[in-house]
Amino acid sequence: MNRIVRPDKTPRRTAHDMILEMVKFSNYGSGRFRTDADIKRYLQSLGYDFDDLVKRCMENYNMPIPTENLLGSTWRLTGGTATSISPTGKELFSVSGSGELTQKAYWGCYEESQKQLKECISDQSYIKFQSALVLGIAAIEAYINYRAGIWNETHPNERLVDSKENKVSFDQKIDEWIPVMTNQKKLDKGNRNWQEFRYLRDIRDNTTIHMKQSGYGISYKDLADLINRYSYGISGILIQLHKLFNEMIPPIIIRNFYAPPVKIIDEGE
């Protein structure tokens, strides 16, 4: 029987680029390091040889990168009170007693999407891929709304509003809201990320959200193809958005973008 697996090993170029991206964007935000050489010198100052890190990462792409922030989006609470604060300092909500708190909903949504994607691979499950896809696209939408919330706090006379009375589509937010919030920067739609996003969004809309058939079937080859498209269409788009806003990228997003493509193997191998 054939199975879908994600290899541990990755090509040198992929390992090289992932380490640079992780150090530059997942911990300090863009701007601290002007060149790749700056990053290599920084790692050397911490006692790490860049070429050695690349070789180790080639053998296991999940290897922790030096200075990588391994904290996730959600805090587990056992007592007391925790408060969610916006980047501008505004108190959003608080939780008292035992519970959990996620300050950035898009990040938590993406983490759950990744959990479903991993289970999709381990269980060979198309329905879990659909769950991962719905959550992944929701994470993209949530990120744009999160940035709009920051904009509205600092620009009360130029608010960007999506409401029952003033419906704004996702494409409008991409084409109209983002340039407003980024001083006329635009999301690049000429790359593979956007092409794959549109492909996956059509699947979500026509297969997952609005099922038009009484059943479904998919080959593992086609499922593997969808999983590999996710890296570009979901993770790639989120990386682009973070860079437009010059914002730290959660490491889990970078890892999925650079993850080795899944492949089909015979269980007898």
Side-chain angles (χ1 to χ4, degrees), residues 6-11 56-62 258-261:
R6 192 183 295 280
D8 290 327
K9 295 185 178 182
T10 195
R56 288 162 53 197
C57 189
M58 288 171 63
E59 293 299 312
N60 180 10
Y61 84 98
N62 278 312
Y258 286 100

Side-chain angles (χ1 to χ4, degrees), residues 75-95:
W75 302 347
R76 307 295 175 184
L77 311 175
T78 57
T81 300
T83 302
S84 175
I85 305 295
S86 76
T88 62
K90 178 182 177 181
E91 182 176 328
L92 300 176
F93 58 87
S94 63
V95 177

Side-chain angles (χ1 to χ4, degrees), residues 205-222:
D205 291 346
N206 298 318
T207 302
T208 309
I209 301 299
H210 303 292
M211 288 191 176
K212 298 178 180 178
Q213 297 180 338
S214 59
Y216 59 82
I218 189 170
S219 70
Y220 286 155
K221 178 178 180 297
D222 289 341

Side-chain angles (χ1 to χ4, degrees), residues 2-47:
N2 292 335
R3 286 187 62 81
I4 301 170
V5 299
R6 192 183 295 280
D8 290 327
K9 295 185 178 182
T10 195
R12 178 179 178 81
R13 186 74 232 180
T14 303
H16 173 279
D17 291 349
M18 185 177 78
I19 293 172
L20 292 176
E21 194 93 336
M22 194 74 77
V23 176
K24 186 174 183 179
F25 292 104
S26 76
N27 299 284
Y28 307 105
S30 61
R32 172 167 178 169
F33 302 104
R34 299 187 63 183
T35 67
D36 293 350
D38 289 341
I39 295 175
K40 293 175 183 179
R41 283 191 290 269
Y42 171 71
L43 289 172
Q44 187 175 35
S45 73
L46 298 178

Side-chain angles (χ1 to χ4, degrees), residues 197-247:
F197 170 77
R198 291 181 62 189
Y199 184 91
L200 294 172
R201 183 173 60 175
D202 285 345
I203 290 176
R204 184 211 52 178
D205 291 346
N206 298 318
T207 302
T208 309
I209 301 299
H210 303 292
M211 288 191 176
K212 298 178 180 178
Q213 297 180 338
S214 59
Y216 59 82
I218 189 170
S219 70
Y220 286 155
K221 178 178 180 297
D222 289 341
L223 180 55
D225 176 67
L226 291 177
I227 293 169
N228 291 331
R229 287 174 184 264
Y230 176 107
S231 293
Y232 292 92
I234 303 300
S235 305
I237 289 292
L238 279 168
I239 287 174
Q240 283 185 248
L241 288 170
H242 280 78
K243 289 181 178 179
L244 282 175
F245 288 96
N246 195 33
E247 184 169 18

Side-chain angles (χ1 to χ4, degrees), residues 58-116:
M58 288 171 63
E59 293 299 312
N60 180 10
Y61 84 98
N62 278 312
M63 179 196 79
I65 306 301
T67 76
E68 178 181 353
N69 182 359
L70 299 177
L71 296 176
S73 67
T74 302
W75 302 347
R76 307 295 175 184
L77 311 175
T78 57
T81 300
T83 302
S84 175
I85 305 295
S86 76
T88 62
K90 178 182 177 181
E91 182 176 328
L92 300 176
F93 58 87
S94 63
V95 177
S96 298
S98 299
E100 62 180 46
L101 183 146
T102 301
Q103 288 203 336
K104 295 181 178 180
Y106 83 88
W107 188 347
C109 199
Y110 183 86
E111 286 177 333
E112 184 59 31
S113 176
Q114 278 295 293
K115 178 181 176 182
Q116 292 295 313

